Amino acid sequence: MFTPKIPVNDQPTGQIIPLTTNTTAVDGHPHAPTDCHCQHQAPAPSSRPAVQLTPGALALLVGGGTAAVLVVGAVLVSMLLAVAITAGSLAIVALVVRSLLNSEAKHR
């Protein structure tokens, strides 16, 4: 239970690297990396747009956006209403406490 464990790579690379201290090897290879002599070309740009919106998808997008705005608006309005009700309640409680303190001070 208390012995150290070697972490396992989730996606193995296929390289077998020994667990010894080898100071001459870099990344498990004893030789220096060579230059690449192949011809790299950039991929040809696509002529079609990345996103194609059909009329149905556009209507769904507009409907979903409208629903999201309505839900967020309802949540914000309800939070504002809760703050307003709390502030009104605290104002009423403050008036009652002040009235009780004033009536207590008059009786002394």
Side-chain angles (χ1 to χ4, degrees):
M1 184 167 119
F2 295 109
T3 58
K5 297 194 179 1
I6 299 172
V8 178
N9 189 3
D10 293 335
Q11 297 176 348
T13 60
Q15 292 180 338
I16 299 173
I17 301 173
L19 297 177
T20 60
T21 57
N22 187 359
T23 58
T24 60
V26 176
D27 292 332
H29 296 287
H31 60 276
T34 60
D35 293 333
C36 179
H37 297 293
C38 55
Q39 301 292 327
H40 294 283
Q41 295 179 358
S46 177
S47 62
R48 75 176 229 204
V51 177
Q52 293 180 350
L53 289 177
T54 61
L58 187 60
L60 182 66
L61 186 64
V62 169
T66 303
V69 167
L70 290 176
V71 167
V72 169
V75 168
L76 290 177
V77 166
S78 64
M79 289 173 64
L80 180 63
L81 184 61
V83 169
I85 290 172
T86 304
S89 299
L90 286 176
I92 291 171
V93 167
L95 288 175
V96 169
V97 168
R98 188 175 71 173
S99 173
L100 289 173
L101 289 176
N102 284 341
S103 66
E104 184 71 27
K106 287 181 183 178
H107 286 93
R108 285 186 179 199

